[in-house]
Amino acid sequence: MRRLHLNAFFPFGPIYVWDELERPEQYYEFDGFAQLARTAERGLFTGVFLGDSQRLREHLGRITDTAVTGRPDQLVLFSYLAALTEKIGFVATLNTTFNDPIDLARRLATVHTLSHGRAGWNVVTTDNAWTGENFRRGNYLDHTHRYEHALAHLRTVQAYWDEELGSASHPVLFQAGESDEGRDFAARHAEAIFSRYLDYDQASAFAADLTARLGRVGRPRSDLAIFPGAKITLGDTRAEAEEKAAEFERRTWTDRRIRAVLESVWSRDLSAYDVDGPLPDVGPADPEQTVTHGVVNSRDQPLRTVGAWRTLAAERGYTIRGLVAHLSRTAQFVGTPGEVADRLAHYVRTGAIDGLNLVPNAVPTGFDEVVERLVPELQDRGIYPAEYAGSTLRDNLGLPAPVAHRIPTEARS
Ligand SMILES: Cc1cc2nc3c(=O)[nH]c(=O)nc-3n(C[C@H](O)[C@H](O)[C@H](O)COP(=O)(O)O)c2cc1C
């Protein structure tokens, strides 16, 4: 039977409302994470999922304070959370481009062992130049080579795990990366994939694409769980839920954060511009520079990005605020618990998704409503369990033995 998995996902971006906006430092307090993880476990979430960033981000030449920057090390945090929980899994995003494979394998094996089988690895290649700069290597591998390198890296990690953990008990492999090479990599090697597609038609098309790729290497669709990122905002009525969602957005996107999104591309101080007015009439300070200091994808050149944003703003009549709202929109389900459960049941039953990497609206209370109000509705619809299936992440994802040991290497190489 198809079911929905929920992962608690903290992407550490400027998309949060803290309980007390004045005290963002509580974000670094491990008690907040502990509270979120415990709530998630009470709600039978499959895992806690974290994104990767190996460098503090800069803003106009200084460490940015407009987004939460100093992330805790994922595996250190997971070691702490593993001691406070019993069943929930821990998926760390770690890139194959800059990490040493043996170091990575050993650290993941440690969390896996001390959590009694609850670790997962989201394999990413990382295309952002700021990480490359941090390692003094620039954006040092071109796209195709990044995936070749990823495979060699993965093979080394798996060989280490075979020795250290045994071939039946590897951490679960997630993957994130959506090019042809990225999707093929997932179809051959991953057991779950983090996707960007939550819109129903896009999610279905993505699932169909992966099903075809899986088929080509002899794997069924059930071998690869699809997890788009999402938020959920609930209310007693649809209108109340929509108003709540809008309020979260308003509180999260302060004028300063909005301006910072533009400044990361313009590379100049834009404080003279009203965020409720039109886009700046000046061009980017350094049009040739590859973006290395902001959150914009490193393949974009500032001039091209500015051009695209001007076109979008002109077509839709956006102010700066409107443009940033458009760019930063996190796909979300908004409605009464019953409405959201019905929509999710449709996604799951038709195979469009298998889970959500769920971003809390608020820290540390952001999953309370989902656990208390949505989970029972999902259970009523038969798409959510009444208890954990087992005690390892692999058990709870319903995955068989590690893919590395089920599919002939020839078929996957
Ligand atoms: C949904 C999603 C989430 C990602 N999360 C991260 C991340 O947390 N850290 C990171 O370094 N890269 C992340 N990536 C980027 C990938 O590592 C990869 O470098 C990028 O997508 C380019 O590869 P592609 O062309 O195959 O998509 C993510 C990609 C996707 C699609």
Side-chain angles (χ1 to χ4, degrees):
M1 187 202 62
R2 289 187 184 277
R3 57 151 292 190
L4 182 77
H5 293 274
L6 295 176
N7 281 336
F9 175 41
F10 320 107
F12 298 98
I15 45 178
Y16 293 99
V17 176
W18 288 270
D19 249 11
E20 301 166 60
L21 272 183
E22 309 71 35
R23 224 168 61 78
E25 71 275 10
Q26 76 172 329
Y27 209 79
Y28 304 94
E29 292 168 7
F30 278 23
D31 284 354
F33 287 109
Q35 186 177 331
L36 276 164
R38 284 195 175 110
T39 306
E41 190 168 69
R42 188 159 51 82
L44 306 171
F45 280 32
T46 304
V48 178
F49 187 102
L50 294 178
D52 176 44
S53 178
Q54 292 186 313
R55 176 175 171 177
L56 297 180
R57 292 179 184 182
E58 287 171 29
H59 180 62
L60 299 180
R62 299 177 55 199
I63 299 296
T64 179
D65 64 349
T66 52
V68 176
T69 49
R71 306 170 177 215
D73 179 271
Q74 298 165 80
L75 296 178
V76 174
L77 176 59
F78 282 162
S79 308
Y80 169 74
L81 295 179
L84 303 175
T85 52
E86 288 176 4
K87 307 276 182 157
I88 198 163
F90 299 104
V91 184
T93 300
L94 298 162
N95 74 70
T96 51
T97 302
F98 299 105
N99 286 295
D100 174 85
I102 294 299
D103 175 54
L104 181 149
R106 181 163 161 258
R107 292 166 64 219
L108 272 163
T110 303
V111 175
H112 199 56
T113 304
L114 67 83
S115 67
H116 304 290
R118 291 189 278 149
W121 174 24
N122 180 31
V123 182
V124 297
T125 52
T126 292
D127 59 356
N128 55 62
W130 66 80
T131 302
E133 279 210 333
N134 194 35
F135 287 84
R136 309 280 193 276
R137 292 176 191 164
N139 219 358
Y140 86 112
L141 285 176
D142 69 32
H143 190 267
T144 315
H145 287 135
R146 281 206 292 276
Y147 280 104
E148 285 169 11
H149 185 78
L151 181 56
H153 188 288
L154 177 65
R155 291 283 180 250
T156 309
V157 170
Q158 286 170 328
Y160 180 96
W161 287 346
D162 280 346
E163 291 293 320
E164 184 75 19
L165 303 169
S167 59
S169 169
H170 288 190
V172 173
L173 295 179
F174 279 64
Q175 185 272 358
E178 57 184 355
S179 59
D180 263 349
E181 292 95 329
R183 291 178 188 206
D184 278 339
F185 188 91
R188 291 196 173 97
H189 310 293
E191 305 177 294
I193 184 165
F194 178 18
S195 98
R196 293 193 201 282
Y197 305 109
L198 192 65
D199 167 81
Y200 182 77
D201 291 339
Q202 288 182 356
S204 297
F206 185 67
D209 179 78
L210 285 177
T211 306
R213 289 173 201 268
L214 286 161
R216 290 200 278 277
V217 293
R219 299 179 71 191
R221 164 72 179 81
S222 57
D223 249 29
L224 187 75
I226 306 176
F227 283 76
K231 283 203 241 179
I232 291 175
T233 305
L234 303 172
D236 290 336
T237 62
R238 168 83 66 98
E240 187 197 297
E242 280 170 359
E243 178 43 39
K244 253 163 83 178
E247 178 62 17
F248 280 130
E249 287 297 305
R250 274 195 292 277
R251 292 179 63 189
T252 303
W253 284 100
T254 59
D255 291 2
R256 203 157 58 98
R257 284 187 178 145
I258 289 172
R259 216 173 264 120
V261 172
L262 263 64
E263 287 174 347
S264 72
V265 174
W266 262 261
S267 295
R268 57 165 96 229
D269 181 345
L270 299 174
S271 52
Y273 292 86
D274 180 358
V275 294
D276 291 310
L279 266 58
D281 44 13
V282 292
D286 187 356
E288 300 307 323
Q289 182 202 45
T290 304
V291 177
T292 59
H293 301 294
V295 294
V296 177
N297 190 303
S298 60
R299 282 169 293 190
D300 290 337
Q301 301 294 317
L303 212 52
R304 204 171 68 201
T305 304
V306 168
W309 288 0
R310 284 200 200 288
T311 306
L312 186 64
E315 278 169 11
R316 312 234 178 160
Y318 284 145
T319 59
I320 294 176
R321 188 189 301 279
L323 174 74
V324 172
H326 176 100
L327 297 172
S328 64
R329 195 171 294 143
T330 303
Q332 59 173 318
F333 292 98
V334 180
T336 65
E339 284 169 348
V340 172
D342 282 341
R343 290 180 62 201
L344 284 169
H346 180 60
Y347 274 75
V348 169
R349 288 183 186 133
T350 56
I353 65 168
D354 303 282
L356 297 175
N357 279 344
L358 193 62
V359 179
N361 275 330
V363 173
T365 52
F367 294 132
D368 293 7
E369 277 198 333
V370 169
V371 170
E372 278 148 31
R373 304 188 62 191
L374 182 64
V375 162
E377 297 280 348
L378 297 172
Q379 288 166 330
D380 285 350
R381 284 159 183 76
I383 57 161
Y384 204 80
E387 57 185 27
Y388 279 105
S391 59
T392 68
L393 178 58
R394 189 168 292 285
D395 290 343
N396 290 320
L397 275 167
L399 291 167
V403 61
H405 295 289
R406 287 185 291 115
I407 296 172
T409 308
E410 314 82 73
R412 290 178 294 118
S413 54

